[in-house]
């Protein structure tokens, strides 16, 4: 389990490239100490350590625990964490989450009133490009020529080929996030020079083709499904990103690819993953790497209260939703941050709402009102108790201080593959309606604990799929992309405080894409702002 053993290693490697984006050369500069490439790779273990740094780019935001040696300067190290930022982009902008804090422009995310000067959007963009920079440099430093020049032995060279495939997967994942959020970002690969320069912009359809080609190219070099170390990507993770690309292809390129969704979700479903015969909430506890929940997970972002300490990631997702009359001890933490709740629109997707028989309705209602009269008041809006830093027996996580959590973030789960398959069937991609109903009822059987929540084929339509995806996958970084695909994110779809008004309102369709940061546009003449901004 590589990330369990070395994810706390202080990796000091060659990063002699600065950032590949102009904004990153302004107020968001790399803060790591630099060595020459040869010195950095004198130890053969450095190749795996650098790989760990790339994986940890999603969970951590620097080199020294929770704070002290950040990757990026310009925002608090907790704020600049990849997963925390990505969650905000995907969830705070939707009906699934609203935050009471008033830090900078954070309120503009839920109200969908952001501008190209929004610091959270800018830092997400910068974090994506920083991650691409890491992957590019790894690939530059691990060519056959470089390895031969350093005298790396044949067995390690063979292992590094697998590492390179995983790094290309991680770069493809990052570029998919960039394409989904920003459509037309700057584009740099290992073939470009390192150091400061003005990168060219890539158009969304071209980036789609690149990400697809990269994922297809690395499949044979990646570990077979469920055969890699915990926390590392395998072939099924690549299949999952391909399926995500194809499910959203009509948004990204104008051409649907639903038959390909059937193909790649079918590969995943046949690869030995299973829906655990355990309650839904077990998948989001401190022992979700060992309590059975791991049997469903296709790609996870590991966290450990002692070895991956950060005020982003799962620390944020556990502390920020706790407040009001909620007892922090029930969540295995030392206190709540009185921040994140959900909207009535999300709550009303569950029959019976707070007393729903659907076990996925992990809502805290004591002292909370369903309606959100005031955004800044934590008790306005039901709280969500999905992530809890305790094990199945109620024991708290490993960090005795109660700050940091052991909950691993399930980026891709089998449940998602089931729902993607079913949606693709409904959208004409082939497959079987009866098979889809079987998959949905397997998920609902776990949710209800029996067959009382089962549906019939006549119940299965696209509206049901959109709601079921929310019920099953809420707060797992899917909602914004789903709403856009269903044309419910901006000029359709209304929830409280969307548009900046209590009753909610529609917004302009150009907000389906985020703006490129004004800081980058001010310097890089190769970039053109996205329409509407």
């Amino acid at each position: 389990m590589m990330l369990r053993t070395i994810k706390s290693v202080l990796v000091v490697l060659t990063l002699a490239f600065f950032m590949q984006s102009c904004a990153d050369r302004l107020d968001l500069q790399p803060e790591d100490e630099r060595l020459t490439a040869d010195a950095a790779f004198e130890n053969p273990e450095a190749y795996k350590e650098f790989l760990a740094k790339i994986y940890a780019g999603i969970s951590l935001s620097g080199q020294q625990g929770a704070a002290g040696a950040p990757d990026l300067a310009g925002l608090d190290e907790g704020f600049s964490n990849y997963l925390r930022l990505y969650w905000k982009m995907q969830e705070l902008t939707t009906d699934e989450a609203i935050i009471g804090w008033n830090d900078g422009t954070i309120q503009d995310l839920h109200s969908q009133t952001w501008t190209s000067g929004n610091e959270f959007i800018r830092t997400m963009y910068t974090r994506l490009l920083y991650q691409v920079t890491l992957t590019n440099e790894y690939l530059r430093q691990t060519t056959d020529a470089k390895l031969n020049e350093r005298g790396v032995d044949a067995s390690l060279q063979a292992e590094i080929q697998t590492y390179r495939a995983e790094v290309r997967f991680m770069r493809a994942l990052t570029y998919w996030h960039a394409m989904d959020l920003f459509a037309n970002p700057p584009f740099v690969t290992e073939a470009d020079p390192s150091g400061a320069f003005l990168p060219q912009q890539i158009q969304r359809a071209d980036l789609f083709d690149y990400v697809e080609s990269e994922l297809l190219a690395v499949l044979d070099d990646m570990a077979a499904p469920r055969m890699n170390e915990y926390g590392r990507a395998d072939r099924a993770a690549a299949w999952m990103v391909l399926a995500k690309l194809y499910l959203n292809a009509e948004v990204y390129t104008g051409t649907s690819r639903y038959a390909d969704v059937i193909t790649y979700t079918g590969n995943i479903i046949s690869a030995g993953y299973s829906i655990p015969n355990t309650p839904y909430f077990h998948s989001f506890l401190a022992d979700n790497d060992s309590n059975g929940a791991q049997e469903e997970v296709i790609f996870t972002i590991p966290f450990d209260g002692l070895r991956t300490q950060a005020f982003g990631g799962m620390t944020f997702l556990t502390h920020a939703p706790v407040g009001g009359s909620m007892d922090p001890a029930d969540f295995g933490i030392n206190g709540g941050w009185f921040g994140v709740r959900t909207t009535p629109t999300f709550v009303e997707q569950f029959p019976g709402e707070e007393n729903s028989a659907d076990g996925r309705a992990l809502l805290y209602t004591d002292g909370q009102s369903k309606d959100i009269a005031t955004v800044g008041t934590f008790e306005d809006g039901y709280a969500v108790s999905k992530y809890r830093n305790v094990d199945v027996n109620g024991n708290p996580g490993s960090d005795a201080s109660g700050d940091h959590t052991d909950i691993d973030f399930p980026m891709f789960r089998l449940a998602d593959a089931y729902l993607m398959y079913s949606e693709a069937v409904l959208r004409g991609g082939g497959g079987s309606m009866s098979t889809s109903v079987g998959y949905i009822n397997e998920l609902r059987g776990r949710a209800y604990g029996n067959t009382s929540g089962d549906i019939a084929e006549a119940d299965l339509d696209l509206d049901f799929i959109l709601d079921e995806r929310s019920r099953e996958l809420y707060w797992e970084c899917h909602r914004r992309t789903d709403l856009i695909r269903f044309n419910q994110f901006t000029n359709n779809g209304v929830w409280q405080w969307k548009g900046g008004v209590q009753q909610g309102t529609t917004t302009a369709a150009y907000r389906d894409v985020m703006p490129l940061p004004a800081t980058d546009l001010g310097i890089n003449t190769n970039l053109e702002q996205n329409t509407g901004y």
Side-chain angles (χ1 to χ4, degrees):
M1 300 200 332
M2 179 191 69
L3 293 182
R4 288 299 189 197
T5 57
I6 67 171
K7 63 191 176 183
S8 62
V9 172
L10 187 64
V11 183
V12 183
L13 292 161
T14 175
L15 301 177
F17 40 74
F18 286 87
M19 297 300 296
Q20 296 168 338
S21 161
C22 302
D24 312 322
R25 292 187 281 110
L26 291 173
D27 60 343
L28 292 165
Q29 297 288 346
E31 293 292 330
D32 50 289
E33 298 176 5
R34 292 173 177 77
L35 300 175
T36 66
D38 288 338
F41 289 101
E42 283 178 357
N43 185 343
E45 294 180 358
Y47 296 98
K48 195 171 186 181
E49 290 171 349
F50 196 167
L51 176 66
K53 169 65 177 176
I54 289 168
Y55 278 112
I58 297 180
S59 57
L60 300 176
S61 52
Q63 323 299 321
Q64 184 178 299
D71 294 329
L72 307 173
L75 265 187
D76 171 88
E77 207 171 324
F79 278 123
S80 67
N81 174 271
Y82 189 125
L83 180 56
R84 179 168 172 170
L85 287 163
Y86 187 59
W87 188 91
K88 287 175 179 175
M89 300 299 110
Q90 290 290 92
E91 298 292 350
L92 284 185
T93 58
T94 76
D95 56 346
E96 288 187 352
I98 189 168
I99 197 164
W101 304 339
N102 199 29
D103 300 288
T105 57
I106 198 169
Q107 293 291 346
D108 295 350
L109 297 177
H110 187 81
S111 66
Q112 295 194 5
T113 56
W114 56 74
T115 70
S116 61
N118 185 287
E119 68 266 38
F120 297 94
I121 295 173
R122 183 186 76 239
T123 310
M124 178 79 263
Y125 172 94
T126 306
R127 177 58 72 179
L128 292 167
L129 296 182
Y130 178 77
Q131 185 77 351
V132 167
T133 300
L134 293 178
T135 58
N136 285 343
E137 190 64 14
Y138 191 96
L139 296 171
R140 290 190 191 103
Q141 296 298 335
T142 55
T143 62
D144 289 343
K146 287 279 190 183
L147 298 178
N148 290 332
E149 181 182 311
R150 297 188 189 117
V152 176
D153 67 61
S155 61
L156 180 55
Q157 286 206 33
E159 196 170 352
I160 289 170
Q161 296 314 304
T162 300
Y163 298 168
R164 284 175 59 86
E166 292 177 40
V167 168
R168 290 173 71 181
F169 164 81
M170 292 296 287
R171 181 173 61 182
L173 175 71
T174 304
Y175 267 135
W176 169 52
H177 289 164
M179 176 180 65
D180 186 72
L181 290 167
F182 297 101
N184 313 303
F187 180 69
V188 186
T189 72
E190 76 275 21
D192 292 297
S194 59
F197 70 100
L198 300 180
Q200 296 293 319
Q201 187 171 22
I202 190 169
Q203 296 303 298
R204 199 179 215 182
D206 295 328
L207 186 52
F208 178 99
D209 291 343
Y210 172 79
V211 172
E212 178 189 26
S213 67
E214 280 289 282
L215 291 168
L216 292 172
V218 302
L219 286 175
D220 290 343
D221 290 327
M222 297 190 76
R226 309 180 74 238
M227 296 302 292
N228 211 342
E229 293 176 284
Y230 185 83
R232 286 173 60 184
D234 59 24
R235 199 171 302 147
W239 289 337
M240 194 70 173
V241 180
L242 282 165
K244 290 286 186 184
L245 279 180
Y246 299 138
L247 187 66
N248 295 285
E250 196 163 3
V251 172
Y252 299 150
T253 71
T255 302
S256 65
R257 299 283 296 271
Y258 298 116
D260 291 316
V261 178
I262 299 292
T263 297
Y264 285 96
T265 55
N267 289 349
I268 294 162
I269 292 166
S270 301
Y273 300 94
S274 61
I275 301 299
N277 186 26
T278 55
Y280 175 80
F281 75 91
H282 284 195
S283 292
F284 314 100
L285 297 179
D287 59 349
N288 64 349
D289 62 339
S290 59
N291 66 19
Q294 75 277 10
E295 298 302 318
E296 180 189 1
V297 176
I298 297 158
F299 185 53
T300 190
I301 308 300
F303 285 86
D304 184 286
L306 299 178
R307 292 174 288 184
T308 47
Q309 295 191 345
F311 287 107
M314 297 310 301
T315 296
F316 165 75
L317 284 179
T318 310
H319 285 265
V322 173
S325 65
M326 303 168 81
D327 184 354
D330 291 341
F331 296 82
I333 55 176
N334 56 13
W337 294 355
F338 289 73
V340 187
R341 299 95 69 205
T342 194
T343 72
T345 302
F346 171 73
V347 171
E348 290 162 5
Q349 292 179 146
F350 292 99
E353 299 179 5
E354 66 266 27
N355 296 315
S356 177
D358 188 333
R360 298 171 297 188
L362 301 175
L363 302 169
Y364 186 92
T365 63
D366 186 19
Q368 304 289 132
S369 64
K370 187 170 78 169
D371 283 330
I372 304 168
T374 306
V375 173
T377 301
F378 182 83
E379 289 78 8
D380 284 9
Y382 284 168
V384 172
S385 56
K386 182 165 185 171
Y387 298 111
R388 297 170 58 227
N389 186 39
V390 295
D391 65 18
V392 293
N393 297 312
N395 301 309
S398 59
D399 179 15
S401 76
D403 276 334
H404 304 290
T405 73
D406 292 342
I407 311 163
D408 296 342
F409 180 75
M411 182 170 281
F412 299 136
R413 295 195 282 121
L414 179 61
D416 193 5
Y418 279 179
L419 289 161
M420 291 165 68
Y421 174 92
S422 300
E423 182 179 337
V425 170
L426 288 166
R427 292 187 185 275
S432 162
M433 279 289 288
S434 62
T435 299
S436 296
V437 170
Y439 291 156
I440 298 297
N441 284 340
E442 187 176 353
L443 299 180
R444 292 175 71 82
R446 171 173 62 177
Y448 283 78
N450 52 44
T451 61
S452 63
D454 282 8
I455 64 165
E457 193 168 308
D459 301 316
L460 188 56
D461 58 22
L462 287 174
D463 288 340
F464 175 89
I465 287 290
L466 180 60
D467 289 347
E468 190 71 4
R469 286 188 62 81
S470 186
R471 287 186 286 261
E472 178 67 34
L473 301 170
Y474 66 97
W475 285 30
E476 296 179 49
C477 297
H478 301 286
R479 187 60 168 172
R480 173 188 162 276
T481 302
D482 287 349
L483 287 173
I484 290 170
R485 186 173 67 257
F486 281 81
N487 192 27
Q488 294 294 314
F489 183 64
T490 50
N491 57 351
N492 292 296
V494 173
W495 50 85
Q496 284 191 353
W497 295 102
K498 179 184 174 184
V501 294
Q502 196 273 342
Q503 71 272 22
T505 188
T506 58
T507 57
Y510 71 82
R511 293 188 182 277
D512 285 350
V513 173
M514 294 293 189
L516 301 181
T519 48
D520 239 17
L521 290 166
I523 294 178
N524 189 349
T525 56
N526 295 323
L527 301 181
E528 182 178 337
Q529 181 60 278
N530 290 325
T531 301
Y533 297 104

